[in-house]
Amino acid sequence: MTSTESLAARDAVHQWHPYTQHAIEREPLAVVRASGAELELADGRVLIDAISSWWTSLHGHGEPRLIDAMTQQAQRLDHVLFAGATHEPAVALGEELLAVTPPGLNRIFFSDNGSTAIEVALKMAFQRHVLEGHEARRVFVGLEGSYHGDTFGAMAVGDPDPFFAPFAPLLFEVRRTKPCASALESVLDELGPRAAGVLLEPLVQGAGGMRMHDADFLRAARRMTRARGLPLIADEVMTGFGRTGALFACGKAGIEPDLMCLAKGLTGGLLPMAATLATESYYEAFLSEDRGRAFFHGHSFTGHPIGCAVARASLALALENDVPSRLDAIGARIESRVRAGLEGSPQARDLRRTGGIVAFDLVDPAGGHAGYLAARTPALRRRAADRGVLLRPLGNVVYAMPPACLGPEQADQIADAMLDLADPR
Ligand SMILES: Cc1ncc(COP(=O)(O)O)c(C=O)c1O
């Protein structure tokens, strides 16, 4: 047995992987090491991590500044509860992050991952309505094809197709529209006093297929929600920290959300950590002599000192290295090579890019299922791995979102692997 086989065999005994149909997807990549943009496998192969390990690795793997921040903080203060206690890493991270996020946001509430950041935002929005006597405001509005995570609130606001259909009977009511100002206006008008707020992934909707919309729509959504006294909740879990070529998609679009969710790149991808940012008016709405009007939410690891220390180091590095511009340049290079290679190809359509995110849709010659559950997706992943690149097409959507440390040759290798997937052979 090679070490790869033995790890895969042992994995098959006890492990249950996320988003994996184990009956047909039997061969996980056995990864032994990661450095920069590369993953080293147990069988000696090296793959370029073209999707930043589910969009988390911002600078690249094994970034020394982040590892230093982690080890130094672990030696000083490993963890302490965040109710009734505080510490320097959390306080400083709040100061530093709120200095670079859209104006108006002035409060930070920590949690553990993107889904919990969304739960926090939904609960803040709804509890505020209740506190202000608007209990009827309980229907959130989202976008078609949106994805906000896998916990119940996040599933409810996400598009049920195809991930959440089995849970539909348990999910609260949500209305969905296309990213189009008039469509959003009609839904908000129709809901009237039942509308709770608008939640969206600004500029790029990730898991729904790297769908891109323009900033005008976001500005219209901001105007409409403000005019109706409704919160605009920006899910920047994926788009945050430079992915769109600006530090935050909301900043790029020039909008100021009431609530904003961050995770993934918050720690540069090193540790699980999330934050929900809120305006001062949100915070003030919960202030009272009555303890029962507090925001009742918290996790064991809320405000984890090591996560906060790493997030501070990651933000400092993102600013020093101008990560948004780097990602933008990487995206432009991949896009131009893919565009040249796809010239006249009937196999691909709608090549698109926002910052460091490049995507196109495959045309399935057999006319098979085009969505996330497309039968050929596992084969496409294997084909990319054979070319030394880790890609995970979202159904028929081939995309790249690499880390900022990516070199030009690696960018070209990613582009070539993407092109290979569009080759019908
Ligand atoms: C836009 C968006 N929101 C929320 C989430 C959920 O984040 P997590 O997987 O950390 O729970 C994701 C994850 O991909 C995401 O892309």
Side-chain angles (χ1 to χ4, degrees):
M1 263 193 179
T2 67
S3 56
T4 319
E5 283 162 347
S6 65
L7 193 60
R10 281 167 52 209
D11 178 282
V13 178
H14 293 302
Q15 299 303 315
W16 192 341
H17 289 264
Y19 282 97
T20 301
Q21 175 43 267
H22 282 274
I24 52 175
E25 296 170 65
R26 293 202 184 86
E27 284 291 308
L29 300 170
V31 184
V32 291
R33 205 166 283 109
S35 171
E38 292 182 344
L39 305 172
E40 188 187 320
L41 306 188
D43 61 7
R45 284 183 296 157
V46 171
L47 299 187
I48 298 176
D49 187 354
I51 55 168
S52 301
S53 285
W54 263 350
W55 323 337
T56 58
S57 184
L58 185 64
H59 313 283
H61 295 275
E63 168 54 51
R65 291 255 302 261
L66 304 194
I67 292 171
D68 274 1
M70 179 176 74
T71 46
Q72 283 180 29
Q73 183 57 46
Q75 283 162 8
R76 202 173 303 126
L77 167 63
D78 56 353
H79 179 52
V80 64
L81 78 170
F82 205 57
T86 192
H87 47 76
E88 173 70 17
V91 172
L93 176 59
E95 291 163 352
E96 290 157 8
L97 200 51
L98 288 160
V100 295
T101 44
L105 296 170
N106 194 48
R107 292 281 161 182
I108 185 163
F109 190 100
F110 290 111
S111 61
D112 307 345
N113 57 66
S115 306
T116 54
I118 296 292
E119 298 293 330
V120 167
L122 293 171
K123 286 176 68 174
M124 280 179 177
F126 184 63
Q127 191 176 340
R128 179 174 182 175
H129 289 319
V130 173
L131 291 174
E132 295 179 345
H134 304 303
E135 291 85 352
R137 290 210 172 279
R138 61 177 66 163
V139 185
F140 285 94
V141 180
L143 295 183
E144 289 173 9
S146 62
Y147 175 81
H148 299 288
D150 291 348
T151 50
F152 270 88
M155 284 198 293
V157 284
D159 199 324
D161 181 37
F163 306 128
F164 309 135
F167 305 102
L170 302 183
L171 304 178
F172 54 75
E173 185 182 354
V174 168
R175 298 291 301 275
R176 265 170 280 278
T177 82
K178 295 193 182 328
C180 151
S182 58
L184 176 61
E185 188 162 40
S186 317
V187 170
L188 291 175
D189 285 347
E190 198 188 310
L191 286 173
R194 296 174 64 226
V198 174
L199 169 70
L200 45 78
E201 297 159 86
L203 295 182
V204 186
Q205 296 179 252
M210 298 301 151
R211 303 171 184 218
M212 300 179 188
H213 54 251
D214 59 26
D216 284 345
F217 165 68
L218 296 176
R219 289 190 279 269
R222 176 66 286 189
R223 277 195 303 277
M224 283 178 221
T225 44
R226 193 162 273 150
R228 290 165 173 79
L230 293 174
L232 178 64
I233 308 171
D235 176 354
E236 292 235 27
V237 167
M238 186 274 277
T239 53
F241 301 99
R243 292 293 182 190
T244 66
L247 201 53
F248 297 102
C250 288
K252 185 167 178 164
I255 58 160
E256 298 176 9
D258 301 280
L259 298 165
M260 181 161 136
C261 304
L262 300 172
K264 295 191 184 282
L266 174 60
T267 60
L270 192 70
L271 290 172
M273 168 117 198
T276 303
L277 310 183
T279 60
E280 195 64 9
S281 110
Y282 258 84
Y283 177 75
E284 283 171 354
F286 289 76
L287 297 180
S288 165
E289 294 301 310
D290 177 359
R291 293 188 65 216
R293 292 170 69 93
F295 181 51
F296 285 114
H297 190 101
H299 300 281
S300 314
F301 291 109
T302 296
H304 197 279
I306 304 175
C308 290
V310 173
R312 290 185 67 199
S314 177
L315 179 61
L317 204 58
L319 297 173
E320 275 167 42
N321 289 347
D322 194 1
V323 160
S325 304
R326 279 194 186 205
L327 290 174
D328 195 50
I330 290 168
R333 185 175 180 115
I334 295 175
E335 182 197 13
S336 85
R337 195 169 171 100
V338 171
R339 190 171 296 285
L342 287 181
E343 181 84 55
S345 166
Q347 308 303 329
R349 63 171 171 238
D350 194 17
L351 175 61
R352 54 200 182 272
R353 175 175 81 89
T354 301
I357 307 168
V358 184
F360 62 81
D361 298 352
L362 287 176
V363 178
D364 188 346
H369 191 298
Y372 187 86
L373 302 179
R376 65 180 176 160
T377 312
L380 295 175
R381 276 184 228 151
R382 281 195 294 276
R383 204 154 129 184
D386 288 344
R387 295 197 63 123
V389 178
L390 176 66
L391 290 174
R392 269 183 77 90
L394 296 156
N396 68 331
V397 179
V398 176
Y399 77 94
M401 195 190 305
C405 67
L406 197 81
E409 294 80 23
Q410 291 172 319
D412 293 349
Q413 198 179 330
I414 290 175
D416 292 346
M418 292 171 79
L419 285 168
D420 189 51
L421 300 193
D423 183 342
R425 100 190 129 69

